[in-house]
């Protein structure tokens, strides 16, 4: 248990019947890179039940935030979804992950491709001053099945631009593109198709993807990861071969069904 800390839940938000997020206290000694994930969980039947969760809060925040699906028969999420302020959760002490900017080649535009709760690490990254110093433009694409699944939509689209310290950078450099696949919506297709057909940049009124200047990060289901990776490779992009080696894009492969 020495690799775990006990933190207290301070806020819980239910986005819809299948998605929720929660915030916890944070130890002063807890350090992570924006984009990292950590093991979190509960003690069930006297033993820790843990799963990997991306940290949705930026590394300068005094709190930790996590974004989760609700799985009725999931060993962990069936319990996590009933959290209330004051409850305790277990948080690992060793954040890790491959969605880190240092493994990207220099570029001008950064595309963040996410599906479902794969948005979580990018909520951390879009509140990182370094990303706006490294890239002229940051494009966040979030794909979901239903409109109600667009968690954080109002926060990203409106509130972030008024952030006391990051607002100027965000309003000038961050572009947000919500995508819905199973309901009528402005953009209603999968991310891989947006990339492979050129509809992504056409929709945004941008220049086509360019391997010399564009970089990407991908987080979502395994099918989404594989298909988006293939779409980028079809456009000539080369992924980071392993942690610590730079590439045109990076992916996170740590997550399985909870």
């Amino acid at each position: 248990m020495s690799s775990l800390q006990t933190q207290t839940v301070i806020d819980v938000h239910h986005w819809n019947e299948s998605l929720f997020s929660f915030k916890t206290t944070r130890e002063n000694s807890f350090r992570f890179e924006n984009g990292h994930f950590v093991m979190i969980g509960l003690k069930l039947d006297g033993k820790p039940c843990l799963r990997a969760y991306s940290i949705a809060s930026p590394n300068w925040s005094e709190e930790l935030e996590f974004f989760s699906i609700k799985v009725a028969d999931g060993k962990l999420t069936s319990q996590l979804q009933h959290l209330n302020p004051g409850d305790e959760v277990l948080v690992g002490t060793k954040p890790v992950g491959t969605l880190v900017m240092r493994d990207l080649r220099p570029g001008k535009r950064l595309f963040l491709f996410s599906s479902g709760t794969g948005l979580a690490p990018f909520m951390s990254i879009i509140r990182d001053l370094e990303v706006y110093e490294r890239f002229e433009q940051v494009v966040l694409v979030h794909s979901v099945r239903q409109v109600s699944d667009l968690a954080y939509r109002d926060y990203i689209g409106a509130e972030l631009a008024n952030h006391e310290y990051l607002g100027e950078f965000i309003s000038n450099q961050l572009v947000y593109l919500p995508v819905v696949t199973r309901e009528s919506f402005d953009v209603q297709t999968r991310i891989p198709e947006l990339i492979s057909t050129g509809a992504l940049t056409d929709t945004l009124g941008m220049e086509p993807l360019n391997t010399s200047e564009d970089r990407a990060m991908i987080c979502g289901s395994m099918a989404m990861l594989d298909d988006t990776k293939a779409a980028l490779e079809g456009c000539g992009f080369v992924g980071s071969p392993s942690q610590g080696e730079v590439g045109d894009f990076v992916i996170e492969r740590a997550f399985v069904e909870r």
Side-chain angles (χ1 to χ4, degrees), residues 101-106 238-242 244-250:
M101 286 189 291
R102 53 186 160 83
D103 285 350
L104 290 173
R105 294 189 178 96
V238 179
S240 165
S242 62
E245 297 186 60
V246 297
D248 298 328
F249 65 88
V250 293

Side-chain angles (χ1 to χ4, degrees), residues 2 12 22 51-52 55 70 81-82 103 107 113 117 122 132 167 203 226 234:
S2 60
V12 181
F22 61 97
R51 298 290 186 271
I55 303 170
K70 302 176 185 179
Q81 63 185 284
H82 300 299
D103 285 350
F113 297 115
T117 55
F122 300 145
Y132 300 106
T203 298
D226 290 341

Side-chain angles (χ1 to χ4, degrees), residues 103-115:
D103 285 350
L104 290 173
R105 294 189 178 96
K108 292 185 178 180
R109 293 189 300 191
L110 174 62
F111 288 84
L112 307 174
F113 297 115
S114 62
S115 67

Side-chain angles (χ1 to χ4, degrees), residues 96-220:
V96 292
T98 54
L99 283 177
V100 289
M101 286 189 291
R102 53 186 160 83
D103 285 350
L104 290 173
R105 294 189 178 96
K108 292 185 178 180
R109 293 189 300 191
L110 174 62
F111 288 84
L112 307 174
F113 297 115
S114 62
S115 67
T117 55
L119 175 69
F122 300 145
M123 290 304 301
S124 172
I125 288 170
I126 63 173
R127 289 179 283 178
D128 186 343
L129 178 59
E130 182 185 351
V131 75
Y132 300 106
E133 294 175 337
R134 282 196 56 180
F135 296 94
E136 296 176 6
Q137 199 166 48
V138 180
V139 181
L140 173 62
V141 184
H142 184 209
S143 175
V144 298
R145 296 178 178 180
Q146 314 290 337
V147 175
S148 68
D149 294 332
L150 288 171
Y152 297 96
R153 182 183 181 187
D154 292 339
Y155 178 73
I156 299 168
E159 294 181 43
L160 263 182
N162 298 315
H163 190 277
E164 182 178 5
Y165 302 112
L166 296 172
E168 180 179 355
F169 299 98
I170 289 169
S171 59
N172 292 326
Q173 294 172 253
L174 179 65
V175 177
Y176 170 55
L177 180 65
V179 176
V180 177
T181 60
R182 297 189 182 181
E183 284 186 343
S184 178
F185 198 69
D186 293 343
V187 181
Q188 189 180 0
T189 187
R190 296 179 68 243
I191 288 175
E193 283 70 41
L194 282 174
I195 295 170
S196 60
T197 63
L200 172 65
T201 49
D202 287 347
T203 298
L204 295 171
M206 296 178 175
E207 293 294 318
L209 291 175
N210 183 330
T211 57
S212 65
E213 298 182 344
D214 293 328
R215 302 294 173 253
M217 299 175 131
I218 314 170
C219 190

